[in-house]
Amino acid sequence: MRYFIHFSYFGKNYHGWQVQPDAVSVQGELTKALSLLLKSEIEIVGAGRTDSGVHAKEMYAHFDFDKEINGKNLTKKLNSFLPKDIAVFDVFRVDKQAHARFDAIKRTYEYHIHLKKDAFKEDFSWYFYRDLDVEQMNRACEVLFRYIDFQCFSKANTDVFTYNCKISEAFWKNEGNSLIFTISADRFLRNMVRAIVGTFIGVGLHKISIEGFEEIIKSKNRSKAGFSVPAHGLYLTKVEYPYI
């Protein structure tokens, strides 16, 4: 029987989602907890991979188990056993063919920037003190919808079959002394959102024109794009499935 886990995590203390040798990961903590509570070697498949330090307000993963599980009870036990920075919302049974990664039809990320120094936001948002032209950054967002190949924003030497991603939503929003960038797509490349945001910073500082932003995408060259912004401002906020 296949089960989905619906959960969230604060990524500061983790080297990303995926299990790595000699490093603490979210996948590793969940695997350890489930295997102990179910008294069986459990393998977990996540909806995607977040980099070291990136957070997830919503994440899904699946695992197989040969017995009926009371999702409500297991959720309570997991939350008691897991570290305080991983929170499970639900565990529920799905069709045997359901897949947390391949069945996801849309993923949404947010990147948070605060424009005035704030000691209480340091772990949750990136501090950037210079003035940004948000209107110009939103104009550049419209360019993203014209393309599907985003190799220029992908981490180098990434083992993927295609750099194509269909972006369905991208915009910047002012909230007090904060800026929030929201982007949705069917899939994302490694480091893609952080590279896009870093390039938008160049647009907001008037160092990159709208035309220049488009030329960067056309170039398919990572070195032409902007820097990769720090991980701690990035959140996976939503993962959507056709059956949930």
Side-chain angles (χ1 to χ4, degrees), residues 75-121:
T75 297
K76 288 182 179 179
K77 290 178 181 178
L78 281 169
N79 281 326
S80 296
F81 188 83
L82 286 164
K84 61 184 178 181
D85 46 16
I86 302 175
V88 177
F89 303 129
D90 196 11
V91 178
F92 55 96
R93 188 174 171 182
V94 292
D95 185 85
K96 180 64 178 175
Q97 304 304 315
H99 198 286
R101 180 183 174 190
F102 298 135
D103 289 356
I105 57 174
K106 184 178 178 183
R107 297 165 172 86
T108 300
Y109 281 89
E110 287 180 358
Y111 194 85
H112 290 239
I113 297 174
H114 55 287
L115 305 172
K116 289 188 178 181
K117 189 173 182 180
D118 188 332
F120 299 101
K121 289 185 177 179

Side-chain angles (χ1 to χ4, degrees), residues 126 151-155 191-203 205 207-208 212-213 215-217 219 221-230:
W126 177 47
Q151 185 174 354
C152 67
F153 298 128
S154 175
K155 193 169 186 176
N191 208 236
M192 179 175 167
V193 181
R194 291 164 63 192
I196 289 176
V197 173
T199 309
F200 275 131
I201 295 297
V203 174
L205 293 173
K207 292 183 176 180
I208 301 172
F213 185 80
E215 287 303 316
I216 288 169
I217 297 175
S219 76
N221 187 337
R222 177 65 185 91
S223 65
K224 301 284 186 183
F227 67 101
S228 180
V229 291

